[in-house]
Amino acid sequence: MAPSAAQRIVIENCAIATVDANDTEYASGHLVIADNRIESIGAGKAPEGLENVVRRIDATGHLVTPGLINTHHHFYQWITRGLATDHNLFNWLVALYPTWARIDEQMGYAAAQGSLAMMARGGVTTAMDHHYVFPKDSGDLSGAIIKAASEMGVRFTLARGSMDRSEKDGGLPPDFAVETLEGALAATEETVKKHHDASFDAMTQVAVAPCSPFSVSTELLRQGAELARRLGVRLHTHGSETVEEEQFCKELFGMGPTDYFESTGWLGEDVWMAHCVHMNDSDIEAFARTKTGVAHCPSSNARLAAGIARVPDMLKAGVPVGLGVDGTASNESGELHTELRNALLINRLNPVHREAALNARQALRLGTYGGAQVLGRAAQIGSLEAGKLADLVLWKLDTLAHASIADPVTALVFGAAAPVTASFVNGKQIVENNRLLTVDEDAVARSTRDEAQRLARIAAQG
Ligand SMILES: [Zn+2]
């Protein structure tokens, strides 16, 4: 319970989708924020006689939901959007690695600001960045990314990535784009020790995140898993994204990606993987048995023609599933709220599931509570319940775009991207009427354009 001196914000007269275990909803309810926590939530008006109410919001015409949680992204790609637009994953990677290997700290900071700003103004309250490109002499990229998230006021997980399997070892990245095994492990450990906060209301956490089977040695996967468990942090990587990756694993390791991950210590409740498109029944069973999480990235999977992940089967088996934007070089929009709709629509295109694939409430759960589960933060965020952190969004649903849809959750998921009247993170408002309060969006737009042009010039020089 918050102390009586806590500063309170009262939100009233709104529909509320709590996304708690029972999917409790209120057609007209209230929510009280006390400092950085949700103090009370329920039907009707807020309790009378609350002290220290610093603000009272009449949220008539709105739906309040937990803040959206993004579980897979590559911020640096904000400055390489719109390139190699008609490629599959492997061809797209080979086309872009030489450019990506030229990034520096200043570019990384600007790209992180762009990625974060685009998500935050659309209702994301917890972001993650899987960053795995660390060119020699590129400065403190991890520090720059964390600084951008902290200035934006967004809760954040940095997945400190790495690559050490280059072309000379049968991998996909060029030799100059990778780190050594020892260098990657040491830098990852240093980043965890410097930035990871294990407290209940942590704004910054760090995960250990070698990039993928085709860019990382078996030893880096093995030792990365050991490092994460020794330090008590989570593990993240890409898995089972394309048919080509499956062939690569079978040729090099004599087994498919899930069996390979299991053999290197990479299945477990402290692990989440992006994509997981090409999974057979026994792969899904292994994820369910070990509670390994999945970051479902429907738009990126469509953009790179990777396929349709079996999300309904995963949910039925008990696999924790969240949503991911993925890097904006493979999902140029960079928005998570549109992924609610895309997850629903794309999964219905799977001829096995059709209209029974996902409903609106399941899609909202993927983007909120499911995300909290895969980031290991379900006790703190992901649903609106008394005692949890005050990360929440007020979606405006009484304008032309949504006013004629009676059910607010249907309006949010099936309808156009809804305007965000207000978004709160840790009890602090960061968005008002679709504009960020914490950074100057126009300045971010200019610096990202400038850094994109600088990177293109440097890459063209070779
Ligand atoms: Zn990715």
Side-chain angles (χ1 to χ4, degrees):
M1 208 64 188
S4 58
Q7 300 224 313
R8 293 188 169 81
I9 298 171
V10 174
I11 302 168
E12 291 178 305
N13 306 323
C14 45
I16 302 176
T18 67
V19 198
D20 67 6
N22 302 317
D23 263 332
T24 305
E25 293 180 9
Y26 304 104
S28 179
H30 70 273
L31 186 148
V32 178
I33 299 172
D35 291 338
N36 69 344
R37 307 271 181 113
I38 298 167
E39 186 178 50
S40 66
I41 181 167
K45 297 270 188 189
E48 302 272 329
L50 290 172
E51 290 176 8
N52 296 324
V53 175
V54 294
R55 197 168 160 206
R56 201 170 272 276
I57 300 173
D58 176 1
T60 302
H62 288 78
L63 169 67
V64 175
T65 70
L68 301 183
I69 296 174
N70 190 46
T71 64
H72 187 67
H73 207 312
H74 311 290
F75 288 176
Y76 73 93
Q77 292 180 8
W78 190 263
I79 55 172
T80 63
R81 294 192 296 163
L83 305 174
T85 50
D86 306 316
H87 293 45
N88 70 22
L89 175 72
F90 278 12
N91 296 332
W92 172 86
L93 285 169
V94 168
L96 289 169
Y97 279 136
T99 300
W100 291 342
R102 310 287 183 220
I103 62 163
D104 61 25
E105 187 181 320
Q106 190 178 317
M107 293 172 191
Y109 175 72
Q113 280 195 310
S115 298
L116 285 157
M118 196 67 201
M119 286 187 293
R121 70 207 282 275
V124 168
T125 54
T126 297
M128 74 79 73
D129 182 17
H130 184 191
H131 188 83
Y132 52 84
V133 185
F134 291 92
K136 277 192 193 72
D137 305 319
S138 54
D140 180 12
L141 280 160
S142 297
I145 294 162
I146 287 169
K147 179 170 178 273
S150 154
E151 289 169 350
M152 199 79 56
V154 169
R155 207 177 294 285
F156 183 56
T157 295
L158 175 68
R160 203 292 180 184
S162 46
M163 304 193 291
D164 73 334
R165 184 193 291 277
S166 61
E167 282 168 339
K168 69 176 169 33
D169 304 313
L172 220 55
D175 296 337
F176 62 85
V178 302
E179 296 175 281
T180 62
L181 169 68
E182 298 74 19
L185 288 166
T188 303
E189 179 162 1
E190 190 191 318
T191 306
V192 172
K193 287 183 170 162
K194 192 167 173 191
H195 297 290
H196 181 73
D197 177 359
S199 63
F200 186 91
D201 51 6
M203 291 298 289
T204 306
Q205 297 203 323
V206 180
V208 175
C211 186
S212 67
F214 49 83
S215 60
V216 164
S217 67
T218 305
E219 217 28 54
L220 181 49
L221 282 175
R222 252 197 214 110
Q223 294 189 34
E226 286 167 13
L227 174 69
R229 285 169 184 142
R230 175 160 61 79
L231 299 174
V233 297
R234 296 180 76 74
L235 287 152
H236 179 62
T237 191
H238 292 96
S240 306
E241 184 172 356
T242 62
V243 283
E244 289 83 6
E245 176 191 332
E246 196 174 2
Q247 282 160 9
F248 178 96
C249 287
K250 285 186 171 153
E251 273 164 35
L252 238 74
F253 315 123
M255 57 187 115
T258 300
D259 292 335
Y260 176 59
F261 283 126
E262 184 148 43
S263 76
T264 53
W266 271 77
L267 293 188
E269 60 182 6
D270 53 355
V271 180
W272 87 104
M273 279 185 218
H275 306 305
C276 304
V277 172
H278 298 277
M279 303 263 278
N280 60 32
D281 290 347
S282 85
D283 297 334
I284 291 176
E285 195 277 321
F287 270 57
R289 173 171 40 82
T290 57
K291 295 286 171 219
T292 305
V294 170
H296 175 46
C297 306
S299 294
S300 170
N301 294 157
R303 156 74 149 88
L304 295 171
I308 303 170
R310 296 171 58 189
V311 172
D313 297 327
M314 293 176 191
L315 295 177
K316 202 169 162 198
V319 176
V321 183
L323 287 183
V325 166
D326 203 1
T328 49
S330 66
N331 177 5
E332 275 73 3
S333 93
E335 299 174 304
L336 190 63
H337 58 324
T338 52
E339 296 298 295
L340 302 177
R341 182 168 182 252
N342 291 349
L344 187 147
L345 296 180
I346 285 173
N347 279 281
R348 287 188 178 186
L349 289 175
N350 184 329
V352 176
H353 304 295
R354 302 188 59 202
E355 72 275 17
L358 284 178
N359 62 39
R361 283 162 176 84
Q362 287 174 306
L364 177 60
R365 179 169 288 274
L366 292 178
T368 54
Y369 189 80
Q373 279 184 301
V374 308
L375 295 183
R377 303 209 63 179
Q380 302 127 40
I381 54 173
S383 60
L384 301 178
E385 298 177 70
K388 286 186 124 178
L389 297 168
D391 291 10
L392 53 103
V393 182
L394 278 69
W395 306 96
K396 187 167 174 56
L397 298 179
D398 61 357
T399 66
L400 173 66
H402 305 92
S404 58
I405 303 176
D407 176 60
V409 176
T410 297
L412 178 72
V413 175
F414 280 85
V420 173
T421 295
S423 178
F424 289 85
V425 183
N426 218 36
K428 291 199 179 73
Q429 189 177 355
I430 64 163
V431 176
E432 184 157 296
N433 297 331
N434 276 340
R435 296 290 290 185
L436 288 157
L437 298 173
T438 45
V439 296
D440 177 347
E441 271 181 41
D442 299 329
V444 172
R446 283 192 297 276
S447 72
T448 55
R449 181 199 53 203
D450 292 349
E451 291 303 314
Q453 288 174 350
R454 188 164 70 86
L455 176 57
R457 273 198 306 276
I458 293 170
Q461 287 159 10

